[in-house]
Amino acid sequence: MSDEPLVLGLETSCDETGVGIVRGGTLLADAVASSVEEHARFGGVVPEVASRAHLEAMVPTLRRACADAGVTLNDLEAIAVTSGPGLSGALMVGVAAAKALALALGKPLYGVNHLAAHVAVDILEHGPLPEPAVAMLVSGGHSSLLYVPDVSYDVQPLGRTIDDAAGEAFDKVARLLGLGFPGGPLIDRAAREGDAASIRFPRGLSAAHDMRDHRFDFSFSGLKTAVARWVEQREANGERVPVNDVSASFQEAVVDVLTRKAVLACQENGVEHLLIGGGVAANSRLRAMAQDRCEKAGITLRVPRPKLCTDNGAMVAALGARMVQTGRVPSDLTLPADSSMPITLVQA
């Protein structure tokens, strides 16, 4: 195995079929087929629809990635795949495809954790990860703060969402405001035309007693309910709902809590580097506020470009390459699809 291994990564945990190819820490191809439009009319991801879409997209996306990278499957040195967490049926498609490739090509197989892969993808953007680092992952299914001594085998949870994840709250509020799905980019766009100070929505788990018992945990269910009640009251009074102002104020409440707790986690763990990943990391206000607060606290912020924040195969390949480089033993061909895979299990 070379020092800069050529690794294929497959990602099928939700509604994107991602196939990435890396050579060590260099990105060669990042092909993604999204089924988001098929889910839009339902206002959220339908697991069965996602699974079928992965089946249909896997081979064409794999071919596109190889063409983009200028390599053949025989050139590959290892196969990496998201083993979990995620939607069970969707994960099974990727895991089955990866097993078939590994067996047919005689290549080692690495089943990796989806959340750890969101951390590892920054290697492709900014080079080797600082060790240790604090990572904040924010997406439709996850809002987590992690202490990361080594992303290839040691990731420790500091805090997590106890109800709605940040991305889930964005989707629900966007639906409430009639903006559509997925909600993240739509609220981000509307918020740019709104006044973030016009409505003071609550900051979940930020009171003194919450900071004692849930210091690095997140909760967005109460915020979502507060927005719903505010909108309902306006409508009951026959008043127009200022969608842009509501979007900006809601977004500000989410981003305020996320960035405040992330910086605090760095400070209290003696860490000088904060990584942000996951689909919500593409949010423009989150990136701006995180940059401002990190600069004031003397913390170096690392955030991949937006395309690498959402689910993709490149992040899986990046983590797989790191595992090869650090001498991790490959996964067995009995590798499962684990919908509830804990973050402490980096490799299945």
Side-chain angles (χ1 to χ4, degrees):
M1 196 77 71
S2 65
D3 293 335
E4 296 289 312
L6 186 67
V7 179
L8 173 80
L10 302 181
E11 158 59 31
T12 62
S13 67
C14 192
D15 60 342
E16 269 103 17
T17 307
V19 180
I21 299 175
V22 304
R23 188 180 297 281
T26 302
L27 177 62
L28 301 183
D30 179 25
V32 177
S34 177
S35 61
V36 66
E37 292 185 2
E38 298 178 48
H39 304 284
R41 64 192 178 99
F42 300 105
V45 176
V46 180
E48 293 81 2
V49 173
S51 300
R52 174 60 62 180
H54 288 310
L55 282 170
E56 295 173 351
M58 179 57 70
V59 172
T61 309
L62 179 60
R63 286 173 173 162
R64 178 154 54 95
C66 288
D68 291 347
V71 302
T72 68
L73 292 176
N74 286 321
D75 295 327
L76 300 172
E77 296 176 71
I79 311 292
V81 62
T82 295
S83 182
L87 303 175
S88 294
L91 289 168
M92 289 178 188
V93 177
V95 169
K99 287 180 180 180
L101 287 168
L103 183 62
L105 299 170
K107 307 295 183 182
L109 173 67
Y110 293 84
V112 307
N113 190 295
H114 176 80
L115 302 183
H118 269 302
V119 178
V121 74
D122 196 61
I123 295 171
L124 306 177
E125 185 84 353
H126 298 113
L129 298 179
E131 297 177 352
V134 166
M136 179 171 68
L137 303 184
V138 277
S139 67
H142 308 280
S143 295
S144 306
L145 276 171
L146 309 169
Y147 179 73
V148 188
D150 188 321
V151 72
S152 67
Y153 73 92
D154 188 6
V155 178
Q156 304 167 22
L158 296 174
R160 60 178 180 82
T161 183
I162 63 173
D163 42 55
D164 288 356
E168 185 179 3
F170 271 93
D171 287 340
K172 290 178 177 178
V173 170
R175 185 162 60 245
L176 174 71
L177 296 175
L179 293 176
F181 176 85
L186 297 171
I187 284 184
D188 192 0
R189 191 175 307 126
R192 293 171 192 171
E193 305 299 324
D195 179 4
S198 61
I199 311 164
R200 177 68 183 182
F201 287 128
R203 270 61 171 166
L205 296 185
S206 294
H209 66 280
D210 290 322
M211 291 300 290
R212 182 181 63 251
D213 299 332
H214 295 281
R215 194 161 189 79
F216 299 125
D217 291 328
F218 302 105
S219 171
F220 298 107
S221 180
L223 170 60
K224 174 199 66 182
T225 301
V227 174
R229 287 177 176 169
W230 193 94
V231 170
E232 288 168 2
Q233 187 61 54
R234 293 281 293 203
E235 292 176 337
N237 293 338
E239 300 174 299
R240 181 186 65 86
V241 175
V243 172
N244 292 344
D245 288 345
V246 174
S247 296
S249 299
F250 161 75
Q251 177 177 267
E252 194 74 5
V254 173
V255 169
D256 181 23
V257 173
L258 289 173
T259 56
R260 192 178 301 278
K261 292 201 173 193
V263 169
L264 184 63
C266 290
Q267 293 171 327
E268 295 193 356
N269 286 278
V271 173
E272 298 179 350
H273 293 83
L274 171 65
L275 284 72
I276 302 181
V280 180
N283 180 272
S284 62
R285 181 58 181 150
L286 174 60
R287 297 167 84 95
M289 187 180 289
Q291 185 63 53
D292 179 61
R293 288 184 168 171
C294 282
E295 286 179 357
K296 290 177 180 176
I299 295 168
T300 300
L301 176 67
R302 292 173 51 137
V303 190
R305 59 185 179 271
K307 191 174 186 296
L308 292 180
C309 290
T310 52
D311 291 349
N312 59 79
M315 68 186 198
V316 179
L319 181 52
R322 180 64 184 157
M323 288 180 171
V324 172
Q325 291 170 323
T326 55
R328 298 282 291 171
V329 176
S331 303
D332 193 82
L333 282 175
T334 59
L335 170 73
D338 185 353
S339 63
S340 58
M341 187 176 185
I343 184 57
T344 50
L345 186 63
V346 177
Q347 180 185 359

